[in-house]
Amino acid sequence: MNIEFIDLRRQYESIKEDINRAVAEVIRGGHFIMGENVTRLEEEFAQYVGARYAVAVASGTDALQLSLMAVGVGPGDEVITTPFTFVATAEVIALLGAKPVFVDIDPRTYCINPAQIEGAITRRTKAIIPVHLYGQPADMESILKIAQKYDLKVIEDAAQAHGAKCYFPESGEWKAVGRIGHLAAFSFFPSKNLGAYGDGGMITTDEEELAEKLRMIRVHGSEAKYRHKILGLNSRLDELQAAVLRVKLPHLEQWNQKRRKNAAQYNNLLDSLEVITPFCAPGREHVYHQYSIRVKQRDYLRKQLHQQGIPTAVHYPIPLHRQEAFAYLGYKEGDLPVSEQTARQILSLPMSPELEAEGIEYIARKIAEALETAGSKRAGA
Ligand SMILES: *Cc1c(COP(=O)(O)O)cnc(C)c1O
């Protein structure tokens, strides 16, 4: 059986006519930068998230960096985040001359552990970047309370979580990620839940002042052509990508629904095995950007599955505090033990809306067979 980790070609087949038409229109129109598609996508995405403003940028990484720039993070500042994420989350903090401060993760959701945030706050702390890892929102209710108490900015890394939601008992409201913190950064990298055919990103916020500043920063700090009020950079989303994303956005809810259905089927088939299936915390709506299990014989299982034509991935093999690029921060092995143990045991299985029930059955069967030969014990137990 041929299994793809994600199946973008199949997704394209299902929306081909609309995509081809949208792309051809942009090319015929001859307007490639900052045109109508970008403006309309910003409106449509803001509406989807329920945020007042959306600002399109060149990538998810830039969405994070511009967000930090908009709230004025710079040399001497500290920003608290998780080490169990893609490097971009912390990289942009360091590139701006600020210091990433890593806090360990919750052992069940793998998102930042709010109980450890307060202990990491100093006079220099300016912001917190929680990551909605694998498509599950971080514990935003707790994080917002801490941020309010210490007057910190919250920038959501929502690169993996377009459409995920959190429940807020006090207001009795489900809020989509992207309208919870002061700012939220989304990625449109092709494999994300909403992916372009190239790089792209978006920032959402309810604050007009931040939105205006972001719009300046993405075009070299200018409000009007050749007048530069502040220093910025070139971080625009192009019209072709915006046109593609406008075709895809109306499908996102249905695609996320299919991801949840696939995750439920995986859960059913894997629950009796010696693996830990993803835990979705109460009051969170997960969008399963990744379906990641924990298993003791991770590397063995991975090899066995590979031999059966089943691609898998490890998100992420080395937590950021143990990366060479961050060695200067001085963290040692054992400093953030939950992240380190999870990095040794986590394994992402194929997941996409295009993955079919027979594929999941096949994958689960091969996992059962491999674990039987490995005589595996339940990870972490
Ligand atoms: C993908 C990703 C990013 C970076 O997005 P790009 O569009 O690739 O720049 C940042 N943070 C997380 C958690 C991601 O998964």
Side-chain angles (χ1 to χ4, degrees):
M1 197 163 194
N2 182 36
I3 305 274
E4 306 269 354
F5 192 72
I6 53 159
D7 202 341
L8 291 176
R9 207 170 314 140
R10 214 159 137 210
Q11 190 194 63
Y12 170 60
E13 289 300 329
S14 72
I15 50 174
K16 193 172 183 169
E17 278 171 32
D18 291 342
I19 292 279
N20 290 359
R21 191 181 318 115
V23 167
E25 260 172 39
V26 173
I27 297 172
R28 258 198 309 271
H31 192 132
F32 299 104
I33 301 289
M34 300 301 277
E36 196 190 335
N37 279 293
V38 167
T39 309
R40 298 282 294 278
L41 177 69
E42 288 177 340
E43 290 163 7
E44 289 156 8
F45 196 80
Q47 192 182 7
Y48 174 75
V49 164
R52 288 178 65 198
Y53 305 98
V55 180
V57 294
S59 70
T61 304
D62 277 5
L64 287 164
Q65 180 173 334
L66 269 76
S67 295
L68 289 170
M69 289 167 80
V71 299
V73 165
D77 294 330
E78 293 178 0
V79 178
I80 293 173
T81 192
T82 162
F84 197 60
T85 177
F86 181 61
V87 65
T89 315
E91 187 180 35
V92 292
I93 301 169
L95 282 175
L96 290 173
K99 181 178 165 192
V101 175
F102 295 116
V103 160
D104 213 350
I105 56 172
D106 178 285
R108 294 206 291 177
T109 64
Y110 315 130
C111 292
I112 193 167
N113 186 346
Q116 300 198 13
I117 292 178
E118 271 195 275
I121 293 173
T122 72
R123 275 184 307 110
R124 297 169 182 271
T125 308
K126 193 120 182 200
I128 307 172
I129 308 183
V131 179
H132 306 312
L133 196 73
Y134 305 149
Q136 169 161 221
D139 178 358
M140 294 307 291
E141 206 197 348
S142 308
I143 293 167
L144 288 183
K145 278 189 184 137
I146 298 165
Q148 259 160 15
K149 185 169 163 192
Y150 294 91
D151 193 23
L152 305 175
K153 298 291 181 190
V154 175
I155 298 165
E156 301 172 60
D157 183 339
Q160 305 184 354
H162 324 65
K165 294 187 183 80
C166 277
Y167 183 67
F168 288 82
E170 274 165 30
S171 58
E173 197 184 7
W174 283 92
K175 281 190 178 184
V177 307
R179 60 172 292 223
I180 301 172
H182 296 90
L183 295 149
F186 291 86
S187 165
F188 300 133
F189 185 81
S191 64
K192 301 287 160 91
N193 288 32
L194 179 62
Y197 292 152
D199 277 311
M202 187 76 84
I203 304 160
T204 54
T205 183
D206 276 347
E207 294 178 34
E208 188 176 5
E209 200 182 316
L210 288 175
E212 272 170 17
K213 199 160 172 202
L214 289 165
R215 288 183 203 286
M216 273 200 283
I217 297 172
R218 77 171 162 187
V219 287
H220 305 288
S222 66
E223 270 179 325
K225 209 167 190 183
Y226 305 129
R227 284 176 166 271
H228 305 278
K229 207 166 170 177
I230 53 175
L231 292 179
L233 31 86
N234 170 4
S235 181
R236 301 171 298 225
L237 182 73
D238 66 69
E239 280 287 294
L240 278 172
Q241 300 306 338
V244 166
L245 290 162
R246 289 188 64 210
V247 170
K248 286 189 170 196
L249 181 58
H251 297 276
L252 180 58
E253 277 301 295
Q254 182 202 329
W255 287 337
N256 281 343
Q257 194 60 41
K258 183 73 192 308
R259 285 174 185 271
R260 276 193 288 272
K261 187 174 167 215
N262 285 347
Q265 191 193 349
Y266 265 131
N267 286 344
N268 273 334
L269 294 170
L270 299 177
D271 265 346
S272 58
L273 304 181
E274 301 298 304
V275 304
I276 297 176
T277 53
F279 169 75
C280 182
R284 321 258 179 102
E285 195 167 289
H286 202 314
V287 292
Y288 294 97
H289 172 60
Q290 301 295 349
Y291 182 90
S292 306
I293 60 171
R294 257 177 74 192
V295 55
K296 267 191 178 163
Q297 282 92 343
R298 193 261 316 273
D299 295 334
Y300 172 82
L301 177 61
R302 213 180 163 200
K303 217 163 85 197
Q304 295 297 307
L305 293 178
H306 179 74
Q307 282 170 5
Q308 303 292 333
I310 300 169
T312 60
V314 173
H315 305 102
Y316 297 90
I318 306 172
L320 299 186
H321 69 290
R322 299 294 295 146
Q323 293 283 354
E324 215 177 315
F326 290 117
Y328 72 94
L329 293 171
Y331 289 93
K332 300 180 303 301
E333 182 159 11
D335 281 350
L336 302 166
V338 183
S339 301
E340 291 166 30
Q341 197 203 27
T342 308
R344 284 191 291 270
Q345 299 184 332
I346 203 80
L347 184 67
S348 299
L349 303 180
M351 169 57 87
S352 70
E354 288 72 34
L355 183 63
E356 295 294 350
E358 307 83 69
I360 296 172
E361 272 165 33
Y362 176 77
I363 294 163
R365 194 162 62 242
K366 293 299 167 191
I367 291 174
E369 285 172 17
L371 290 179
E372 214 161 283
T373 54
S376 158
K377 294 238 157 47
R378 197 172 180 85

